[in-house]
Amino acid sequence: NGDLPIFRRKSLQRFLVKRKERLTLVSPYS
Amino acid sequence: PSTSLFNQETLQQRLQTLIEGARESWTYAIYWQSSVVDFSGASTLGWGDGYYKGEEDKGKRKTASSQSAAEQEHRKKVLRELNSLISGSSASADDAVDEEVTDTEWFFLVSMTQSFVNGSGLPGQAFNSVPIWVTGKERLAGSSCERARQGQVFGLQTMVCIPSASGVVELGSTELIFQNSDLVNKVRVLFNFNNMG
């Protein structure tokens, strides 16, 4: 939608990828 | 060559080097890029790039947020939409986007939409001036800058803005971090684009 150009696409992409990595690293038992 | 070095890739590396190499645990680093907006020479600081590391203690992830269920749903919805726009895949195919969006993650994301006129806001005040270092929830909450007050609401205890050649480096942390010259010097070395090479 029209909100996307406000975000820097590459920054956002990096944030989402790293977020996924961080969440994967958090143990489900903790 | 100096302009080719000034791109988002090297910005990302510099921000990452700054945070990962620091003794203190910074939650994020943002580079606010200066650009001239009109004939009078007035400049504005806008999003250049950012590196989000997150809280040191992963256990804080679940407990840090204090917002309502409706607010959390809103954050997840926005993240889902952004994720599908970026990846092109269905949001439901990615479990990570349905995880709780923490206060500092949200603060970082919202920062991407912000800009500051030279002289206003925490980054705007630091630009062409001296570093600004605010430690403690009370000091952040009592700041005249909306961004500092906003940072405190989203769980930050320390915010720092350090001017560089063509912008401002902002760091934030959920920990109490007191002023030290090491960080300021590192920023001056890493972000002094005029002296590249």
Side-chain angles (χ1 to χ4, degrees), chain B residues 28 30 32 47 107-108 110-111 114 116 121-123 140 143-152 156 159 161 170:
Chain B
Y28 72 85
I30 293 171
W32 298 104
W47 179 268
F107 181 73
F108 183 83
V110 169
S111 299
Q114 295 182 336
F116 304 90
L122 214 58
L140 286 168
S143 170
S144 58
C145 298
E146 194 190 338
R147 182 159 178 81
R149 295 198 299 274
Q150 200 180 29
Q152 185 270 329
L156 297 178
M159 285 180 85
C161 279
E170 177 189 307

Side-chain angles (χ1 to χ4, degrees), chain B residues 68-144:
Chain B
S68 67
E71 169 65 15
Q72 187 54 233
E73 270 316 302
H74 168 67
R75 291 182 188 181
K76 285 182 184 174
K77 182 173 177 280
V78 170
L79 210 70
R80 248 181 256 126
E81 287 173 359
L82 290 171
N83 192 62
S84 60
L85 280 166
I86 289 291
S87 68
S89 65
S90 161
S92 59
D94 189 349
D95 291 341
V97 294
D98 271 333
E99 283 288 334
E100 181 180 86
V101 184
T102 68
D103 287 349
T104 54
E105 282 177 331
W106 189 246
F107 181 73
F108 183 83
L109 275 174
V110 169
S111 299
M112 293 187 197
T113 67
Q114 295 182 336
S115 62
F116 304 90
V117 175
N118 192 3
S120 78
L122 214 58
Q125 283 183 11
F127 189 54
N128 286 335
S129 186
V130 292
I132 299 175
W133 198 297
V134 190
T135 305
K137 280 189 168 291
E138 293 78 13
R139 282 197 62 205
L140 286 168
S143 170
S144 58

Side-chain angles (χ1 to χ4, degrees), chain A residues 1-27 30, chain B residues 8-9 12 47 49-53 58 61 79 81-83 85-86 94 96-97 99-101 105 108-109 112-113:
Chain A
N1 63 30
D3 290 333
L4 189 61
I6 302 170
F7 288 87
R8 298 284 178 154
R9 204 179 177 88
K10 262 195 161 179
S11 297
L12 186 58
Q13 197 167 20
R14 280 200 193 95
F15 173 80
L16 291 169
V17 169
K18 285 195 177 289
R19 182 172 193 265
K20 198 172 175 179
E21 286 172 6
R22 282 198 310 277
L23 290 168
T24 310
L25 286 171
V26 174
S27 165
S30 61
Chain B
Q8 210 169 21
E9 286 308 317
Q12 183 65 201
W47 179 268
D49 201 3
Y51 179 78
Y52 180 90
K53 184 184 177 187
K58 299 291 186 289
R61 204 185 149 75
L79 210 70
E81 287 173 359
L82 290 171
N83 192 62
L85 280 166
I86 289 291
D94 189 349
V97 294
E99 283 288 334
E100 181 180 86
V101 184
E105 282 177 331
F108 183 83
L109 275 174
M112 293 187 197
T113 67

